[in-house]
Amino acid sequence: MVVGFIGLGVMGQPMALNLARAGTDLVVWNRTADRSGPLRAAGATVARTPAEVFLAARVVFLMLADGVAIDSTLGRGTPDFAANVAGHTIVHMGTTSPEYSSGLDADIRTAGGRYVEAPVSGSRQPAEAGRLVAMLAGEDAAVEEVRPLLGPMCHATFVCGPVPNALLMKLAVNLFLITMVTGLTEAFHFADRYGLDRERFVDVLGAGPMASDVSRIKASKLLDRDFAVQAAAADVLKNNRLIAEAARRSGLASPLLDVCHALFDETVTLGHGSADMAAVLHAIEARTKARPEAGNQLDAR
C-alpha cells in the first residue's frame, strides 16, 4: 500500500525517514522543498503538490504546524477538499485544539473520508530513533488500519477512544512535560547560582529516582548551554496555550502550567522561540537579573 506523508519539519522529517527506511512505499510533500531531499535519497517519491500525494496514497499522515496549515493542505473550504479526502484515511499527527480536531473529523467524514487522530509524545531525538509514543482516536476500523503503519515511527501506541480523546491525552502528557522540564531548568539555575558543581548536580539527578530519558537529555543540554532544537520553545508556548485554553473551558485550575506559560512567553519574547525548550533558562536567568537584591545575597555567600 502506498502511504502519504505531508509535513517534513523537525519531527516530520525523521518520522517519514523511518517509514521509508522500513520499506514503506512512501510519497511525501513539504512546503519547503529542500526538506524532501533526504526522503528522496531514502527511496520515497517526492510529490510536487499535496494533490499528488492524495492521488497516490489512500492513507495520508499529516505532521503540520497548526490548523491553518492543515486546512490549506487539504483544501478545506474549497471544492478540492472532497476530492482530496474522499476514500482516504487522513491521520492528524500534530497538536491542535481538540475542538479543531472534532470539526475536521466531522468535515472529513461528511466528505466521504475517514479520520484518525494520532498525536505523538516525544521530541526530535525519539523521532529519529523511532521511539515515539502515539495516542490514537477515531472510528475503530480506521484506527486499526492506521495502527500497524506506525510501527517504524513509534515504539508504543495507545487507543484513546473517540475523537478528540487522543489530543486531550496529548495535552495532559504535555502538561507534565512542560512543568517537568521547567522545574528541572529552575533547579539547574538554583545549583548554578549557588556555585555548585554543575556536572555533579547532573550526575546526582541522573542517579536518583527522578531521572528519566527527558531529564537526562535536558540536563545535558543545560550543562552545555546547548539549545539546538529538539522541541522548540515557540512550539512549547503554543502547546501551553492549547492546554490553558482547554483548562479554562472546563473550569480547571492549572497553577503550575500558568507559571510555565508566562516563562515560555518571556523566552520567546527574548528571541529564543526557535531554540530548544531548555532555553526557558534564559527567562529564568532574566528574572534573577531583575532582582539585584537576590544577586547580592548570593554574592555575599
Side-chain angles (χ1 to χ4, degrees), residues 80-95:
D80 293 333
F81 180 71
N84 287 334
V85 305
H88 293 76
T89 300
I90 306 300
V91 187
H92 171 25
M93 300 195 76
T95 306

Side-chain angles (χ1 to χ4, degrees), residues 190-207:
F190 179 92
D192 185 37
R193 288 288 294 178
Y194 266 104
L196 301 179
D197 186 316
R198 296 180 300 169
E199 291 187 5
R200 184 59 52 86
F201 168 76
V202 170
D203 289 342
V204 169
L205 182 65

Side-chain angles (χ1 to χ4, degrees), residues 4-21 26 28-30 35-36 38-39 61-65 93-94 120 122-128 132 153 230 235:
F5 199 106
I6 295 176
L8 304 174
V10 170
M11 293 287 289
Q13 188 189 69
M15 291 165 67
L17 279 170
N18 282 331
L19 284 173
R21 289 166 179 164
L26 194 66
V28 304
W29 181 82
N30 192 68
R35 298 287 297 177
S36 303
L39 272 300
F61 291 102
L62 305 179
M63 191 61 178
L64 296 166
M93 300 195 76
V120 292
S123 58
R124 185 174 67 182
Q125 188 169 340
E128 291 171 345
L132 297 170
M153 299 182 284
Q230 291 178 334
D235 290 336

Side-chain angles (χ1 to χ4, degrees), residues 30-169:
N30 192 68
R31 189 178 302 277
T32 305
D34 60 4
R35 298 287 297 177
S36 303
L39 272 300
R40 181 182 285 107
T45 299
V46 178
R48 292 173 296 178
T49 65
E52 288 186 5
V53 177
F54 295 111
L55 284 171
R58 187 166 59 81
V59 176
V60 179
F61 291 102
L62 305 179
M63 191 61 178
L64 296 166
D66 52 32
V68 173
I70 293 170
D71 291 348
S72 174
T73 298
L74 295 176
R76 194 176 180 197
T78 76
D80 293 333
F81 180 71
N84 287 334
V85 305
H88 293 76
T89 300
I90 306 300
V91 187
H92 171 25
M93 300 195 76
T95 306
T96 59
S97 73
E99 289 74 19
Y100 170 83
S101 185
S102 293
L104 183 60
D105 175 37
D107 286 353
I108 287 174
R109 288 190 289 110
T110 298
R114 301 203 291 185
Y115 177 76
V116 174
E117 286 179 344
V120 292
S121 179
S123 58
R124 185 174 67 182
Q125 188 169 340
E128 291 171 345
R131 299 289 295 173
L132 297 170
V133 175
M135 294 144 277
L136 294 95
E139 295 180 343
D140 291 345
V143 167
E144 291 310 312
E145 177 186 31
V146 168
R147 196 173 189 181
L149 300 175
L150 298 172
M153 299 182 284
C154 305
H155 78 100
T157 60
F158 296 90
V159 178
C160 301
V163 173
N165 280 8
L167 272 166
L168 287 168
M169 186 71 76

